[in-house]
Amino acid sequence: YDVMGRMYRENYLGMIADWCRAHSVRFVGHLHMEDNLPHHVRVEGDIFKGTGMFHLAGVDRIDLNTNKVAEKYASSVQHAYGLERTLAETFALTRWGLRPQDLRKGTNWQYVRGINMIVPHAFYADRVGLTDAVLARF
Protein backbone atom coordinates (compact mmCIF):
# COMPACT_ATOMS: atom_id res chain seq x y z
CA TYR A 1 0.00 0.00 0.00
CA ASP A 2 2.90 2.35 0.62
CA VAL A 3 4.18 1.81 -2.94
CA MET A 4 0.68 2.20 -4.39
CA GLY A 5 0.14 5.40 -2.39
CA ARG A 6 3.49 6.85 -3.48
CA MET A 7 2.80 6.05 -7.13
CA TYR A 8 -0.66 7.63 -6.87
CA ARG A 9 0.79 10.78 -5.36
CA GLU A 10 3.74 11.06 -7.77
CA ASN A 11 1.99 10.06 -10.99
CA TYR A 12 -1.42 11.59 -10.49
CA LEU A 13 -1.82 14.09 -7.67
CA GLY A 14 1.72 15.41 -8.00
CA MET A 15 1.46 15.96 -11.74
CA ILE A 16 -1.77 17.91 -11.33
CA ALA A 17 -0.31 19.93 -8.45
CA ASP A 18 2.81 20.76 -10.49
CA TRP A 19 0.72 21.85 -13.50
CA CYS A 20 -1.49 24.00 -11.29
CA ARG A 21 1.51 25.60 -9.62
CA ALA A 22 3.13 26.34 -13.00
CA HIS A 23 -0.09 27.99 -14.24
CA SER A 24 -0.90 29.92 -11.05
CA VAL A 25 -3.96 27.78 -10.31
CA ARG A 26 -4.73 26.34 -6.89
CA PHE A 27 -5.16 22.59 -6.77
CA VAL A 28 -8.11 21.94 -4.45
CA GLY A 29 -10.33 18.98 -3.84
CA HIS A 30 -10.65 15.95 -1.65
CA LEU A 31 -9.72 12.30 -1.81
CA HIS A 32 -12.10 9.38 -2.09
CA MET A 33 -13.68 8.00 1.10
CA GLU A 34 -11.65 10.24 3.40
CA ASP A 35 -14.30 10.00 6.12
CA ASN A 36 -13.94 6.23 6.50
CA LEU A 37 -10.79 5.27 8.41
CA PRO A 38 -10.69 1.58 7.36
CA HIS A 39 -10.63 2.59 3.69
CA HIS A 40 -7.74 5.07 3.92
CA VAL A 41 -4.88 2.65 3.37
CA ARG A 42 -6.68 0.53 0.80
CA VAL A 43 -7.97 3.46 -1.27
CA GLU A 44 -5.37 6.23 -0.83
CA GLY A 45 -2.26 4.59 0.60
CA ASP A 46 -1.64 7.46 3.02
CA ILE A 47 -4.49 9.96 3.25
CA PHE A 48 -2.34 12.58 5.02
CA LYS A 49 0.32 12.59 2.32
CA GLY A 50 -2.33 12.47 -0.43
CA THR A 51 -4.36 15.35 0.99
CA GLY A 52 -1.10 17.25 1.53
CA MET A 53 -0.67 17.36 -2.26
CA PHE A 54 -3.54 19.87 -2.54
CA HIS A 55 -2.87 23.58 -2.17
CA LEU A 56 -5.90 23.63 0.14
CA ALA A 57 -6.73 20.54 2.20
CA GLY A 58 -10.23 19.33 1.40
CA VAL A 59 -12.94 16.91 2.47
CA ASP A 60 -16.33 15.82 1.26
CA ARG A 61 -18.99 16.62 3.86
CA ILE A 62 -22.07 15.84 1.79
CA ASP A 63 -24.44 14.83 4.56
CA LEU A 64 -25.27 15.85 8.12
CA ASN A 65 -23.88 12.69 9.75
CA THR A 66 -21.85 13.76 12.78
CA ASN A 67 -20.26 10.33 13.26
CA LYS A 68 -17.59 11.10 10.66
CA VAL A 69 -14.30 12.83 11.41
CA ALA A 70 -13.05 13.80 7.93
CA GLU A 71 -12.84 17.46 8.89
CA LYS A 72 -10.28 16.68 11.57
CA TYR A 73 -8.13 14.78 9.06
CA ALA A 74 -8.12 17.73 6.68
CA SER A 75 -7.48 20.34 9.37
CA SER A 76 -4.62 18.18 10.70
CA VAL A 77 -3.16 18.04 7.18
CA GLN A 78 -3.50 21.82 6.92
CA HIS A 79 -1.50 22.28 10.11
CA ALA A 80 1.06 19.55 9.38
CA TYR A 81 1.78 20.73 5.83
CA GLY A 82 1.37 24.47 6.46
CA LEU A 83 -1.49 24.82 3.99
CA GLU A 84 -3.48 28.03 3.81
CA ARG A 85 -7.04 26.71 4.23
CA THR A 86 -9.17 23.64 4.87
CA LEU A 87 -12.24 23.34 2.68
CA ALA A 88 -15.32 21.14 2.74
CA GLU A 89 -17.60 20.33 -0.17
CA THR A 90 -20.80 20.57 1.79
CA PHE A 91 -24.48 19.55 1.86
CA ALA A 92 -24.76 17.68 -1.46
CA LEU A 93 -26.87 14.82 -0.08
CA THR A 94 -29.14 16.83 2.19
CA ARG A 95 -31.80 17.12 -0.54
CA TRP A 96 -34.95 19.23 -0.37
CA GLY A 97 -35.49 18.85 3.36
CA LEU A 98 -32.55 21.07 4.31
CA ARG A 99 -33.66 23.78 6.74
CA PRO A 100 -31.86 26.97 7.85
CA GLN A 101 -31.18 25.42 11.26
CA ASP A 102 -29.57 22.43 9.48
CA LEU A 103 -27.32 24.80 7.53
CA ARG A 104 -26.28 26.56 10.72
CA LYS A 105 -25.74 23.34 12.68
CA GLY A 106 -23.80 21.65 9.87
CA THR A 107 -21.66 24.69 9.16
CA ASN A 108 -20.86 25.34 12.84
CA TRP A 109 -20.04 21.64 13.30
CA GLN A 110 -17.48 21.91 10.49
CA TYR A 111 -15.95 25.17 11.70
CA VAL A 112 -15.37 23.71 15.17
CA ARG A 113 -13.50 20.81 13.53
CA GLY A 114 -11.15 23.04 11.56
CA ILE A 115 -12.91 23.79 8.28
CA ASN A 116 -12.38 27.40 7.28
CA MET A 117 -13.78 27.36 3.74
CA ILE A 118 -17.24 26.01 2.93
CA VAL A 119 -17.97 25.00 -0.68
CA PRO A 120 -21.76 24.61 -0.97
CA HIS A 121 -22.52 21.79 -3.37
CA ALA A 122 -25.88 20.91 -4.91
CA PHE A 123 -28.06 21.44 -1.87
CA TYR A 124 -31.65 22.51 -2.10
CA ALA A 125 -33.52 24.70 0.34
CA ASP A 126 -37.05 23.51 1.00
CA ARG A 127 -39.18 26.63 1.08
CA VAL A 128 -36.61 28.65 2.98
CA GLY A 129 -38.17 32.07 3.19
CA LEU A 130 -40.60 31.27 0.38
CA THR A 131 -44.33 31.03 0.52
CA ASP A 132 -46.39 28.43 -1.33
CA ALA A 133 -47.61 31.19 -3.68
CA VAL A 134 -44.04 32.11 -4.63
CA LEU A 135 -43.09 28.48 -5.09
CA ALA A 136 -46.10 27.88 -7.32
CA ARG A 137 -44.69 30.38 -9.86
CA PHE A 138 -41.66 28.19 -10.38
Side-chain angles (χ1 to χ4, degrees), residues 21-131:
R21 196 174 298 107
H23 293 87
S24 300
V25 175
R26 288 185 180 177
F27 181 33
V28 302
H30 62 85
L31 300 178
H32 184 60
M33 302 183 76
E34 71 274 330
D35 58 350
N36 196 331
L37 185 60
H39 291 96
H40 287 186
V41 172
R42 189 173 52 206
V43 177
E44 307 299 343
D46 184 325
I47 196 157
F48 273 66
K49 290 178 182 175
T51 303
M53 301 295 292
F54 293 112
H55 297 125
L56 306 177
V59 296
D60 198 10
R61 169 53 59 197
I62 56 177
D63 57 28
L64 297 173
N65 182 347
T66 57
N67 292 323
K68 299 175 183 176
V69 294
E71 292 87 351
K72 288 305 295 174
Y73 296 140
S75 65
S76 293
V77 169
Q78 177 196 355
H79 296 298
Y81 286 86
L83 303 178
E84 179 184 346
R85 309 280 305 258
T86 303
L87 67 88
E89 176 187 340
T90 303
F91 302 125
L93 294 180
T94 53
R95 311 223 179 213
W96 288 100
L98 189 65
R99 303 167 300 165
Q101 56 265 40
D102 298 326
L103 287 167
R104 184 181 65 244
K105 181 180 177 183
T107 302
N108 287 344
W109 194 87
Q110 291 179 74
Y111 286 153
V112 167
R113 283 155 183 79
I115 299 299
N116 55 26
M117 177 183 272
I118 299 289
V119 180
H121 178 71
F123 70 91
Y124 311 97
D126 186 15
R127 299 182 179 169
V128 176
L130 301 175
T131 65

